Amino acid sequence: MIRTKTLAAPLVVALLLTACSSGEPETTATAKGTVNIDVHGWVGYEAQAAVLAYLLEHELGYKVNRRKTNEEQSWRDFETGKVDVVVESWGHNDLKKEYIEEKKVALSAGLTGNKGVIGWYVPEWMVKRYPDITDYRNLNKYAHLFRTDKTGNAGQVLDGDPTFVTNDEALVRNLKLNYQVVYSGSEDALIKAAQEATKRRTPLLMYFYEPQWLFSKVKLVKVALPPYAVGCDDAPSKVACDYPPYLLDKIVSTRFAERGGPAYELVRNFSWTNDDQNAVASDMINEGMTADQAAARWVEENKIVWKDWIPR
């Protein structure tokens, strides 16, 4: 997942269509420019960015630049004109209100096809040993298992990058749990923690999300938080419910929608599954491929999926 810190849900890839070498903006479907893709801090995003970049370059003839940054910067850059597309938005209702409804510098370009899930997870071995641990009402009984040097007498909830979408500090407080949120700093740190906890059978309660290739390698079980209901996360400080289900969508700048030509059409047409994204991400992590190599492999093997994305 994922992800600016908002109360709707974890990050994000953004595309920027720049002007032609003449200095004039793109205005026709036949003119080709440069597409700048912002890459955010989780491998699923990088995988998606790589596939889009490959198709933009090899099928449509655009030049693609990729820049690593965070979601908040990408959303701000809708207003500055530097960003044209966020290809996987995890909720972000506050940002949508600001940049789409109020400032009108962006608009929705449809769903990505991915179904996003955010929540708390424990290794499967813990569920077998403590069958009731997946009910949040029992977490205080097991808090001592999750104590660390950073949390003292409280249990630890391990989060990722603090800019990811997370309600966890509010959840701990409002559900009256004897836990403390600790930020590991990255998706990679979360993955390593899950692998280590599974291998060494050490207790772990962690924030995590889908789509994510790790679920095919490590058995994790989701903790049942109070069920999500529409509006239960409207007030950030009062959140006491699970994260909502996410139908991940694409956001484009108004300028890009008007002038992006075939590049905009490709982004609008893009739609794949969690399995598609996980396949590319897994090749990057488990097969030692670069993002570009993994994207090329997926494109070669999945023409039936992407051929209809290409503008005619």
Side-chain angles (χ1 to χ4, degrees):
M1 144 217 147
I2 279 16
R3 304 167 182 190
T4 312
K5 188 184 293 183
T6 70
L7 275 296
L11 208 112
V12 174
V13 179
L15 304 179
L16 166 65
L17 182 69
T18 62
C20 297
S21 57
S22 63
E24 295 299 318
E26 299 290 343
T27 56
T28 70
T30 57
K32 297 296 186 290
T34 298
V35 178
N36 292 325
I37 303 179
D38 281 3
V39 180
H40 297 267
W42 57 97
V43 69
Y45 247 92
E46 189 175 359
Q48 191 157 306
V51 169
L52 278 167
Y54 188 94
L55 292 173
L56 284 164
E57 291 176 336
H58 293 84
E59 296 296 322
L60 296 184
Y62 285 86
K63 178 182 177 182
V64 178
N65 295 324
R66 277 168 275 182
R67 176 187 72 165
K68 290 186 177 181
T69 187
N70 61 55
E71 293 174 275
E72 292 180 353
Q73 185 62 55
S74 294
W75 278 90
R76 287 195 296 269
D77 281 343
F78 277 130
E79 189 171 14
T80 66
K82 295 179 180 179
V83 174
D84 286 317
V85 183
V86 168
V87 301
E88 186 181 279
S89 176
W90 285 72
H92 301 299
N93 291 340
D94 57 339
L95 297 173
K96 288 179 178 179
K97 181 178 180 181
E98 178 179 358
Y99 292 100
I100 294 178
E101 297 177 20
E102 297 174 356
K103 295 182 177 178
K104 301 185 186 304
V105 294
L107 52 88
S108 175
L111 300 177
T112 69
N114 296 124
K115 294 176 174 61
V117 176
I118 299 176
W120 292 2
Y121 293 83
V122 293
E124 185 182 59
W125 71 263
M126 294 197 75
V127 180
K128 292 179 178 179
R129 184 175 298 180
Y130 312 105
D132 63 348
I133 200 170
T134 57
D135 185 332
Y136 82 94
R137 290 168 293 193
N138 297 321
L139 285 177
N140 279 343
K141 180 169 67 172
Y142 297 109
H144 65 283
L145 298 176
F146 301 103
R147 291 173 182 167
T148 69
D149 292 340
K150 294 181 179 180
T151 62
N153 290 328
Q156 175 180 272
V157 179
L158 187 66
D159 269 48
D161 187 315
T163 68
F164 286 1
V165 172
T166 176
N167 304 331
D168 287 359
E169 292 183 18
L171 284 169
V172 166
R173 181 175 62 253
N174 296 326
L175 295 178
K176 297 180 173 24
L177 298 176
N178 183 29
Y179 285 79
Q180 180 180 333
V181 176
V182 173
Y183 294 96
S184 66
S186 68
E187 177 186 73
D188 187 54
L190 286 175
I191 290 171
K192 289 179 179 177
Q195 292 171 326
E196 188 75 3
T198 298
K199 179 180 179 180
R200 298 186 180 278
R201 290 184 172 264
T202 53
L204 175 67
L205 176 62
M206 64 184 290
Y207 162 105
F208 212 50
Y209 41 84
E210 302 176 54
Q212 170 53 242
W213 64 267
L214 183 66
F215 286 97
S216 67
K217 301 290 184 180
V218 173
K219 301 299 183 182
L220 301 172
V221 180
K222 194 171 184 288
V223 173
L225 296 170
Y228 174 81
V230 175
C232 72
D233 56 356
D234 285 350
S237 64
K238 297 180 180 180
V239 176
C241 60
D242 207 345
Y243 292 87
Y246 296 97
L247 296 178
L248 308 183
D249 63 345
K250 299 161 290 187
I251 310 298
V252 301
S253 72
T254 304
R255 179 184 181 278
F256 184 75
E258 293 171 349
R259 305 179 184 181
Y264 165 65
E265 292 184 53
L266 172 58
V267 171
R268 184 183 60 188
N269 293 340
F270 178 95
S271 180
W272 66 353
T273 67
N274 287 15
D275 287 342
D276 290 321
Q277 186 180 104
N278 287 342
V280 180
S282 181
D283 280 345
M284 293 165 58
I285 300 299
N286 299 310
E287 302 299 327
M289 292 185 180
T290 66
D292 290 339
Q293 289 170 340
R297 178 179 182 175
W298 185 89
V299 168
E300 175 66 24
E301 295 177 353
N302 291 275
K303 187 173 183 179
I304 193 172
V305 177
W306 60 261
K307 65 178 181 180
D308 289 336
W309 306 345
I310 307 301
R312 291 178 171 80

